[in-house]
C-alpha cells in the first residue's frame, strides 16, 4: 500500500510518443537546413572573389606555366650541351689541331648567307625592282672599257713622297717626340706634319669665292701615300708582284691576324673569269691558321679563284690599320689596274665584276662608288657611336673631332643630295689620278687619327673639293653586292715598331 502511495504513474499515449519523435526529426531537419544555407552562400562568395581578383589569379597561373616551361627548356639545353660536348670530344683531330681550330674560330659554321645569289629588291613607285641592275652575260661579253669624257678636273700628276726625296721628306729626328708618340706614322707612312697635311689639300687648287669655282695652281701634287721607305715593311715576293702587274681589273680583299676565312666569289660571267684578277692578301698569322685548318695554297698560289699574296713584315701593330693598305692603296700595289673592287674579308662577293663596273661607274660616268651609311649621316654622331661601341678610344676620337671642328667641318655633310657618311666595306673605283689622290689623303687621315675610316671619308671629300664624280649608292645595292658573313674572330695584334 505504501509502495503504491509513493509512486506516481504518468500515462503516455501512443500519439504523444509519435509527436515527440516528430519534434526530434524536425529539429534535426532544421539543423540540416542551416548547414545547406552556409554552403549555398559560400559558392557565390568565392565566385565574387574570383571576379574581383581575376587578374591576380591569371598572373599566378601564367607564372606557374612559365616556370614549368623554363624547367623543360633548362633540361633540354643541358641535354644539348652534353651531346655537343660528346661530339667535340670525338677523336677526329688530335688535341693540338683541335685547339688551334677553336682559337681561330674556324670551328664555327658560316651562317645561311653563304653562296646566296638571290637579288635584293626594293619598292619604286609601287613596283618592286632589283636594287642592282646588271647587264646580262651576253652583253658583258661584248662590253668594252669606256673612254670617260668631260671630266671637271684637268689631268694631274701625283707624286708620292719617299725618303729618297730629300727636298720633300721630313727627317724623323725633326719630327717632335710628342707627335711621334701621339700618331702612328712610321717608315711605311713617312712623317707627315700638320703643315704638310694642310698643303696636301690646297697646294694645287685655289677656291675663288666670287665665282665659286676652282682655279688650278699646279698640275703636280706631292703627297704621302705609304711605301715611304724600303725599310717600312709590307713586303711582297717578286713572283706575286709580277702577277699583280698583269692585272687590268681586280677584286681584292685581305685577312690579317687570322681573323677571317676566305670566301670564294660567285656570280661572275665567263668574261670576268678571263679578264678580272681576284687577289687576297694574307699575313703569316692567317697563313698559319688557314693551313692548320686544311686550307693550303695550291699550285700557282691559288685557293679556288683567289690568288693569295702573303705579305710579310707588316708595318703596324693594329691589324685594322694594316688592312687599310690594300683597301686604300690599291693603286700603289697594282700599277697597271684601271678599275678595282675592294671587299672586306667579312663578306662574300657575289656579283659579276664587269657588270658592277658598268652599273656603278660607267653608266653614271662616275670615278668612285661607295655605299651610303645605313644609320647615320653626321660625322659627329658617328664619332659618338664609335666610342659607345668601343671601336676606338674616347681620347683618339676626341683628337680627331676637335681637329675637324677646328677646320669648320659642317655637322651634317651631304653630297649630291645623299649622305656623305659612307659604309666602306665595298669600294668600286677607277684608278684615276684624282681618285688615287683622294685615297692617299684618306689613308693619311686614318693613320693620323683613328682606324675607323667612316669618320675621315666625308672630311676628305669636303676638303679635296674636286672629287665630283662619286656614286654614293644606297644600302640595298651594297647588300646585293655581297653576302655578309661577319667576322669569325678578333684578329691577333702584332708587336712591331717602326719609329726608328
Amino acid at each position: 500500500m505504501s509502495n503504491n502511495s509513493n509512486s506516481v504513474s504518468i500515462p503516455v499515449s501512443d500519439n504523444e510518443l509519435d509527436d515527440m519523435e516528430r519534434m526530434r526529426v524536425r529539429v534535426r531537419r532544421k539543423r540540416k537546413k542551416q548547414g545547406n544555407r552556409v554552403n549555398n552562400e559560400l559558392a557565390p562568395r568565392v565566385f565574387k572573389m574570383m571576379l574581383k581578383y581575376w587578374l591576380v589569379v591569371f598572373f599566378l597561373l601564367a607564372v606557374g606555366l612559365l616556370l614549368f616551361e623554363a624547367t623543360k627548356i633548362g633540361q633540354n639545353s643541358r641535354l644539348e650541351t652534353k651531346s655537343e660536348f660528346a661530339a667535340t670530344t670525338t677523336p677526329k683531330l688530335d688535341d693540338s689541331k683541335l685547339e688551334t681550330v677553336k682559337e681561330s674560330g674556324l670551328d664555327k659554321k658560316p651562317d645561311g648567307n653563304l653562296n646566296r645569289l638571290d637579288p635584293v629588291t626594293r619598292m619604286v613607285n609601287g613596283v618592286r625592282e632589283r636594287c642592282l641592275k646588271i647587264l646580262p652575260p651576253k652583253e658583258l661579253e661584248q662590253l668594252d672599257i669606256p673612254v670617260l669624257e668631260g671630266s671637271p678636273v684637268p689631268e694631274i700628276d701625283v707624286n708620292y713622297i719617299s725618303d729618297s726625296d730629300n727636298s720633300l721628306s721630313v727627317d724623323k729626328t725633326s719630327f717632335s717626340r710628342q707627335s711621334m708618340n701621339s700618331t702612328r706614322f712610321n717608315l711605311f707612312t713617312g712623317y707627315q706634319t700638320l703643315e704638310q697635311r694642310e698643303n696636301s689639300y690646297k697646294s694645287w687648287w685655289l677656291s675663288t669665292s666670287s665665282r665659286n669655282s676652282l682655279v688650278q695652281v699646279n698640275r703636280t701634287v706631292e703627297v704621302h701615300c705609304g711605301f715611304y721607305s724600303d725599310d717600312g715593311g709590307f713586303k711582297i715576293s717578286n713572283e706575286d708582284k709580277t702577277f699583280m702587274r698583269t692585272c687590268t681589273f681586280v677584286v681584292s680583299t685581305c685577312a690579317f691576324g687570322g681573323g677571317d676565312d676566305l670566301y670564294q666569289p660567285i656570280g661572275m660571267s665567263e668574261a670576268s673569269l678571263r679578264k678580272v684578277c681576284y687577289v687576297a692578301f694574307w699575313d703569316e698569322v692567317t697563313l698559319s691558321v688557314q693551313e692548320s685548318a686544311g686550307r693550303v695554297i695550291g699550285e700557282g698560289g691559288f685557293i679556288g679563284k683567289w690568288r693569295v699574296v702573303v705579305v710579310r713584315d707588316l708595318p703596324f701593330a693594329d691589324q685594322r690599320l694594316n688592312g687599310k693598305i690594300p683597301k686604300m692603296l690599291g693603286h700603289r700595289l697594282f700599277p697597271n689596274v684601271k678599275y678595282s673592287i675592294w671587299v672586306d674579308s667579312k663578306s662574300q662577293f657575289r656579283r659579276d665584276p664587269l657588270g658592277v663596273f658598268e652599273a656603278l661607274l660607267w653608266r653614271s660616268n662616275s670615278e668612285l662608288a661607295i655605299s651610303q651609311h645605313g644609320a647615320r649621316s653626321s660625322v659627329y654622331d658617328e664619332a659618338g657611336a664609335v666610342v659607345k661601341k668601343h671601336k676606338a678610344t674616347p681620347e683618339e676620337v676626341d683628337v680627331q673631332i676637335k681637329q675637324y671642328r677646328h677646320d669648320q667641318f659642317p655637322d651634317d655633310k651631304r653630297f649630291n643630295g645623299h649622305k656623305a657618311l659612307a659604309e666602306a666595306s665595298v669600294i668600286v673605283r677607277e684608278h684615276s689620278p684624282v681618285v688615287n689622290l683622294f685615297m692617299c689623303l684618306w689613308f693619311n687621315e686614318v693613320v693620323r687619327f683613328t682606324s675607323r675610316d667612316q669618320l675621315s671619308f666625308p672630311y676628305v671629300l669636303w676638303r679635296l673639293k674636286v672629287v665630283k664624280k662619286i656614286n654614293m649608292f644606297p644600302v640595298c645595292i651594297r647588300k646585293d653586292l655581297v653576302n655578309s658573313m661577319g667576322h669569325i674572330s678578333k684578329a691577333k695584334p702584332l708587336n712591331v715598331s717602326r719609329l726608328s
Side-chain angles (χ1 to χ4, degrees), residues 271-433:
S272 287
L273 287 174
R274 294 193 309 269
K275 299 178 181 180
V276 178
C277 296
Y278 293 86
V279 178
F281 294 92
W282 284 0
D283 65 344
E284 294 172 291
V285 177
T286 301
L287 177 65
S288 176
V289 169
Q290 294 293 325
E291 286 182 343
S292 68
R295 303 182 182 94
V296 181
I297 300 176
E299 185 177 355
F302 284 87
I303 296 181
K305 297 178 178 65
W306 290 104
R307 170 64 184 256
V308 178
V309 173
V310 178
V311 182
R312 306 184 190 279
D313 200 15
L314 291 175
F316 302 106
D318 185 352
Q319 293 286 20
R320 295 172 301 173
L321 197 53
N322 287 321
K324 305 304 178 186
I325 298 172
K327 179 175 184 175
M328 298 178 176
L329 305 185
H331 54 286
R332 303 294 317 265
L333 295 167
F334 300 94
N336 297 319
V337 162
K338 296 181 179 180
Y339 295 93
S340 68
I341 299 174
W342 165 263
V343 182
D344 276 2
S345 59
K346 64 183 179 182
S347 302
Q348 178 189 32
F349 189 66
R350 65 175 196 150
R351 291 293 176 243
D352 181 78
L354 294 178
V356 171
F357 292 136
E358 192 280 330
L360 299 183
L361 295 183
W362 304 337
R363 193 182 303 173
S364 59
N365 195 31
S366 301
E367 292 178 296
L368 174 64
I370 193 169
S371 172
Q372 300 177 42
H373 198 284
R376 289 168 290 278
S377 59
S378 168
V379 165
Y380 302 110
D381 291 342
E382 179 68 10
V386 166
V387 173
K388 184 177 180 180
K389 296 178 180 179
H390 306 288
K391 301 293 185 180
T393 65
E395 293 77 14
E396 60 183 349
V397 172
D398 184 61
V399 170
Q400 185 170 10
I401 293 305
K402 282 183 178 179
Q403 181 65 52
Y404 288 0
R405 290 193 184 279
H406 176 268
D407 297 339
Q408 299 181 350
F409 181 70
D411 183 58
D412 191 359
K413 172 64 179 172
R414 299 186 70 82
F415 181 83
N416 287 346
H418 300 294
K419 291 187 292 186
L421 193 65
E423 200 287 328
S425 61
V426 180
I427 303 174
V428 185
R429 71 181 184 102
E430 181 185 2
H431 287 208
S432 65

Side-chain angles (χ1 to χ4, degrees), residues 13-24:
S13 65
D14 293 338
N15 292 334
E16 289 177 347
L17 288 172
D18 292 339
D19 291 338
M20 292 177 68
E21 290 295 330
R22 281 195 295 269
M23 288 177 65
R24 290 176 183 174

